[in-house]
Structure formats: C-alpha cells, structure tokens
Amino acid sequence: MESFALHSLSTTTTTTFSTSLYTRISLLHRLPKPLSITKSSPSIPLLSTIRSSTQKPLFFSAFHTKNKTIDLKFRILALDTKSSDNPLSDSSEKPTPPQKGAKLIPLLISVSIGLIVRFAVPKPIGITPQAWQLLSIFLSTIAGLILSPLPVAAWAFLGLTTLLVTKTLSFTTAFSAFTNEVIWLIVISFFFARGFVKTGLGDRIATYFVKWLGKSTLGLSYGLILSEVLIAPAMPSTTARAGGVFLPIIKSLSLSAGSKPGDSSSTKLGSYLIQSQMQCAASSSSLFLTAAAQNLLCFKLAGELGVMIPNPWISWLKAASLPALISLLVTPLVLYKLYPPETKDTPDAPAVAAKKLETMGSVTKNEWTMVGTMLLAVSLWVFGDAIGIPSVVAAMIGLSILLLLGVLDWDDCLSEKSAWDTLAWFAVLVGMASQLTNLGVISWMSGCVSKNLQSLSLSWPAAFGVLQASYFFIHYLFAGQIGHVGALYSAFLAMHLAAGVPATLAALALAYNTNLFGALTHYSSGQSAVYYGAGYMDLPDVFKLGFVMALINAIIWGVTGTFWWKFLGLY
C-alpha cells in the first residue's frame, strides 16, 4: 500500500523510515563540518560520539563512528537528547509540541462539503434520500483524505461512525467490507514485505545485481531496476522496496563515490540513481498484479462494477508486459540525458557490492525459507484459479509457513502498523463505494457523463484519452495512490463504460495509470516520499522531471498499448 504515510520497517539493524527521520538525516548531511555530539543520556551507555556521514563512510551504512557503526535509532535519539554538548539543542527554546486533535480549517472544509451536498444541492430525480445522504458522507470522507484534518484511518472511522449515527447504513452493511478478500490480501502483503526486509533477502538480491552490472552509472541503474523487477511480484509494496532495500544501497554507493545529500556533490551520482529508481518503480509496479497494493484494490473495485477479468494475474501481466518493459528500458536512458550524473563510470561499485556480500555471509536458512515461500505464493497466484485456490488463501498459506518456521513472529505482524491502518480505512472506503454502486449513485453519475460526452460527439477512443488524462493529472491533489483509487477509480471506470470504452481495457488502463502517477511529485506515493527524503533531489527538479517523465510514459504506454492491446484483443 503506497500511501503517503511511510512504512515502519524492521531489519537486523532496525531502521525506521519516516518523513521525520529523513528530515533529521538530511539535517546531519547538510552540516558544514563534522558534527560531534557528546553523550549525556544514561539510557545510551555505549554512545559517546557521533560523526556526520560527510566523513569517510563504511560500505552500506548511512552513519559511522570512528571504529564502528552505531544503530540508527540511537543516533537519532542522541540528536534529540537535550544537553549542553548538543549543538542542535537550544536551552532557551522549547520545541513546539505537536498539535493534538483535528486541524480546524481542513475539518470545517471537509464537513462543509458534505453538508452542502446533503442540504443545499437538490436531490436528483431517481436517487433515494438514503443514497444522497451516503454520497454526501462519502464526499466529506474524500475531502478529508485530501485535506487531512486527521490521519487517514481516523478520518475514515469518523465517516463510518457518521454512517451509523445518521442510520444511513446498518452496522452489518457498514462493516461488510472488513471481510473483503482483496483487503486482507493487501494486509498480508505488508507482512511479506517485512519478511523480505527482516531476512535481508531483498538487500542480498539487489547487491548481486550491483556486483554484476555496476561498472558504470548507467549499468548500476539498470542493475538496481532489474533487481526491483525480480523482487516486485513477491514484495507487494513499493514503499517497502524503496525504504527497506534500494535507498540504503543507493545512499551507500553514492557516499562512497563522494556524492553527499544536500550538497553540490549530490549530482555526482546520488541524484541520478535516486531519480531513476523512483521513476522506474512506477513501471515495475505496473508490471505485476501483486507488485503493489493499489493494483489489488483496483481489481476489487472493477469487480464491484461488474468488470470481471479471468485469470487476473496472467491477464494483468500480458497486458502490461510490453509497455512496462519498454518504459523500464527507456527511462534510465532519458534521465541520463535530462538529468545526467557527473560520474559516468563506477568501477569501484562491484567491489563495494562484493565486500557487502562477503560481510553478509552465506544465504541463511530464513532467506531460503523466504525464497521458497514466495515461489509457492507466486505460483499459487498464477495457477490458483485452475486449482481452486483464491489469491488471499495462497497468501495466507505463505504467511502461515513463515510463522510456523519462525521467519516472522506474531509481534512482527502486530508491529506492522501500516497493515492494520490500511485494513481500517480501506475497508471503510470500499464499503462506501460498494453501497454507492448498490444504491444506484454510480450508474446515475455515469449516465450524466455519458450524456455530456454524447453531446460533444466524442468517439470512445477520444473519450478514453480525455478520461485517462484527467484521472492521471488530478493526482496532483492527492498525497498517495490508495486514496486516489478509493476516491475516483470507481467513478472514472463508470464514466469509461458509459462512453463505450471496452470494459477490460478501461479497468486495466486506469489501474496502470494508478502506478504511473506515483512518481509525479514528492508526495504522490510512499516511495516518492522516501526517495525525496534522502536529500539528493531538489524540489523543482522533482516536479519538472515528474511532469516530463509522465508525458514520456504517456507516449510509451499510449503508442505501444494501442497496438499491443489490439493484438491481445482488449478492443
């Protein structure tokens, strides 16, 4: 699930990836000289000195002392420690405590939208009072997802409570989506991602590709991209892949090449590798149904509108394969011209990777267990329809194996807050969207759009292009992909169907677009926030390159897809 809230990931050297952590890392990197901080807290007895990573780095580690690597959590705690020896602390100023409760202005705007629709806008003929009231609550919920008066799940809970207090839906109906198979598949995918990070398997796979292809900057980029393509179908979270696997490797390689975040040297290597990986993550997520949580949600919402795609894993892969692979091949080359690294050759990178692999040692039993479990899960996802095993059951079998063999324990699952947070607000949104369909609101909206399109005399290909472009660029208003899907996917799919667009083509194209706009801005997806937080990219470059690459991807997918999807019989 790629929401703007970043995942909390555990490794053998625990690292928490969050926006606030990256802000602190960036602060360290931007210091003009080495930073020395004397321990003053008895809770950290072994920590005496911290040096900035602008000093000579050790391989694959973001922070270093003179003799050993210090756990990242302790470093951040040390920076937070208020002592007279800490140059970042100011005894005369107390930090502003975080705001408690809802943000007033976003709260008023979000609630007002629903009240205006409910009481000021005339109810259309053919829509029941219950349906109109549900739509008003749904619109307030969507407005809150955009404006964020509260965290996403908390706001969704308020929407759910409002449904029950106003008797818009019964308790059973309001909570019906909590038993949805797709939502539980998404939740379990978070646990798989944690397994990749905890065992170090993802790190090992990516490091091998660096060793094999890393002699030049361009080759290094392709090596990292290929490793993500290999990991993606069994690690269904682009944010987890970014924060838990690829960013640590890219940062270490960049620092060893003298490319430092927040510094003029960032363009030597780090800026290009970060931007290339961020842009290509969109295509690697588009390639496989199980490569991102939002893909599964798109399929669920399409099914709610009656668009049923047989053998979904294979159907998705076949339709995405050609345009996605072309995009993965072209993107690093285009960025190499538009956003060139100063360092063209990286002859030391394979040696760095080899040393890292030597340090990691031989493949552990838990890593082999993870490999076997993921091969089993992917096989069942591919062939499950033929043998009568649903995708969610395949995922449950995989998770059960990991728990039985001790690769994961239940505390790992409980501490994966992103999974449970996703369960809460996904289920609320899916439940609302499903009832809007059942009560006829979506069909009414699609009928209105159909009449407008007919008045413009647009053919279905023209309507397809207009609606796809609108769905894509409206993402500038959303912080994260899942919120966008929950808010607009059903409505836009209904518009496509009303305009005469073939159902399977419309459902798949919207789902692919959901991945492609993940690199549009620094807030458009979880992985974009992770990569931007590393401090190697300037914000104007993120927006400029995000827009340019969006246009290039539109050309690649539009032109290639026109012929490929015709060949596959999608229209």
Side-chain angles (χ1 to χ4, degrees):
M1 187 285 296
E2 282 36 85
S3 63
F4 187 62
L6 303 183
H7 299 178
S8 179
L9 305 169
S10 295
T11 65
T12 51
T13 55
T14 305
T15 305
T16 301
F17 292 97
S18 67
T19 304
S20 60
L21 182 149
Y22 277 113
T23 302
R24 296 175 186 182
I25 290 177
S26 300
L27 181 59
L28 277 178
H29 284 308
R30 289 179 170 86
L31 287 172
K33 58 184 180 180
L35 175 66
S36 178
I37 300 177
T38 304
K39 174 185 76 70
S40 62
S41 172
S43 63
I44 314 174
L46 297 178
L47 184 60
S48 59
T49 305
I50 293 179
R51 297 179 186 269
S52 167
S53 60
T54 54
Q55 295 184 351
K56 184 178 180 180
L58 295 176
F59 293 136
F60 292 83
S61 180
F63 292 81
H64 312 279
T65 61
K66 185 174 182 180
N67 297 315
K68 60 183 179 180
T69 304
I70 301 298
D71 182 76
L72 184 56
K73 283 185 175 178
F74 286 168
R75 292 190 195 88
I76 301 304
L77 284 171
L79 287 178
D80 285 343
T81 302
K82 292 184 180 180
S83 70
S84 58
D85 297 326
N86 189 340
L88 298 179
S89 65
D90 188 341
S91 58
S92 63
E93 295 183 8
K94 294 183 178 180
T96 304
Q99 179 180 338
K100 301 289 185 180
K103 302 172 187 173
L104 183 59
I105 293 178
L107 174 66
L108 292 175
I109 295 174
S110 300
V111 173
S112 296
I113 289 173
L115 292 175
I116 290 171
V117 171
R118 176 65 180 85
F119 297 106
V121 178
K123 179 179 70 66
I125 298 174
I127 298 295
T128 65
Q130 179 193 12
W132 195 244
Q133 185 159 289
L134 175 60
L135 178 62
S136 66
I137 297 171
F138 179 75
L139 292 176
S140 274
T141 304
I142 297 304
L145 295 183
I146 298 172
L147 301 175
S148 299
L150 284 172
V152 172
W155 185 250
F157 182 79
L158 263 64
L160 183 65
T161 303
T162 305
L163 290 175
L164 299 176
V165 170
T166 58
K167 295 182 169 34
T168 305
L169 297 177
S170 67
F171 186 91
T172 302
T173 303
F175 278 83
S176 60
F178 281 85
T179 61
N180 184 277
E181 291 184 4
V182 172
I183 294 175
W184 279 101
L185 179 57
I186 292 170
V187 170
I188 295 173
S189 76
F190 281 99
F191 304 148
F192 285 162
R194 177 173 282 268
F196 265 89
V197 175
K198 181 179 180 181
T199 62
L201 178 61
D203 191 15
R204 185 184 296 276
I205 292 172
T207 305
Y208 268 113
F209 277 96
V210 172
K211 179 183 177 181
W212 295 332
L213 300 173
K215 291 185 178 180
S216 68
T217 300
L218 193 59
L220 191 59
S221 178
Y222 277 117
L224 292 168
I225 290 163
L226 285 173
S227 62
E228 179 156 12
V229 170
L230 181 63
I231 294 171
M235 192 175 184
S237 170
T238 47
T239 308
R241 296 197 299 268
V245 177
F246 294 102
L247 182 61
I249 293 175
I250 291 172
K251 287 191 69 175
S252 179
L253 290 169
S254 300
L255 290 171
S256 66
S259 181
K260 304 167 187 174
D263 186 84
S264 59
S265 64
S266 64
T267 55
K268 282 185 178 181
L269 183 64
S271 296
Y272 168 75
L273 290 180
I274 290 278
Q275 185 65 239
S276 180
Q277 198 71 21
M278 183 176 80
Q279 293 294 337
C280 287
S283 292
S284 62
S285 296
S286 300
L287 188 54
F288 304 101
L289 173 62
T290 52
Q294 63 266 15
N295 299 347
L296 302 167
L297 181 60
C298 289
F299 253 73
K300 169 59 183 173
L301 295 176
E304 294 283 348
L305 292 178
V307 182
M308 308 304 296
I309 301 174
N311 201 355
W313 208 92
I314 296 296
S315 298
W316 179 290
L317 177 61
K318 281 169 41 179
S321 57
L322 188 60
L325 290 174
I326 291 175
S327 179
L328 288 168
L329 290 172
V330 169
T331 297
L333 287 171
V334 172
L335 289 171
Y336 198 75
K337 298 295 183 182
L338 296 179
Y339 198 58
E342 295 175 11
T343 301
K344 308 296 184 183
D345 298 311
T346 54
D348 295 333
V352 172
K355 184 170 183 178
K356 170 64 176 177
L357 290 168
E358 182 181 346
T359 303
M360 293 177 74
S362 59
V363 180
T364 64
K365 183 185 77 171
N366 281 350
E367 287 178 89
W368 282 120
T369 303
M370 195 75 202
V371 170
T373 303
M374 289 299 96
L375 288 175
L376 174 63
V378 171
S379 299
L380 290 176
W381 286 333
V382 174
F383 303 109
D385 282 355
I387 58 178
I389 297 180
S391 295
V392 67
V393 176
M396 292 172 69
I397 291 171
L399 179 59
S400 298
I401 292 172
L402 296 179
L403 290 170
L404 283 170
L405 298 181
V407 177
L408 292 175
D409 55 44
W410 192 242
D411 283 340
D412 291 322
C413 298
L414 290 176
S415 62
E416 192 62 44
K417 295 180 181 179
S418 302
W420 305 112
D421 187 68
T422 298
L423 171 64
W425 73 277
F426 264 23
V428 173
L429 280 182
V430 171
M432 286 187 185
S434 176
Q435 291 306 310
L436 286 173
T437 301
N438 293 340
L439 294 174
V441 175
I442 299 298
S443 60
W444 166 74
M445 292 174 62
S446 63
C448 295
V449 173
S450 177
K451 291 178 182 178
N452 290 329
L453 293 176
Q454 288 175 1
S455 68
L456 296 174
S457 300
L458 291 179
S459 62
W460 78 256
F464 175 80
V466 170
L467 291 172
Q468 289 287 330
S470 301
Y471 180 77
F472 188 97
F473 287 107
I474 203 172
H475 191 64
Y476 278 109
L477 300 177
F478 285 88
Q481 293 156 294
I482 295 299
H484 190 144
V485 172
L488 298 178
Y489 182 88
S490 295
F492 269 82
L493 180 55
M495 294 177 199
H496 278 75
L497 300 179
V501 180
T504 301
L505 174 63
L508 288 175
L510 285 171
Y512 297 147
N513 250 340
T514 300
N515 290 290
L516 295 176
F517 57 49
L520 199 56
T521 67
H522 64 302
Y523 58 83
S524 58
S525 63
Q527 71 269 19
S528 292
V530 169
Y531 285 130
Y532 174 71
Y536 278 95
M537 298 183 294
D538 293 329
L539 197 56
D541 290 333
V542 174
F543 275 84
K544 179 179 69 176
L545 291 172
F547 181 78
V548 171
M549 291 310 302
L551 296 180
I552 291 173
N553 273 316
I555 294 171
I556 292 173
W557 283 76
V559 174
T560 307
T562 297
F563 297 101
W564 182 240
W565 296 334
K566 178 68 173 178
F567 173 77
L568 293 177
L570 294 183
Y571 69 94

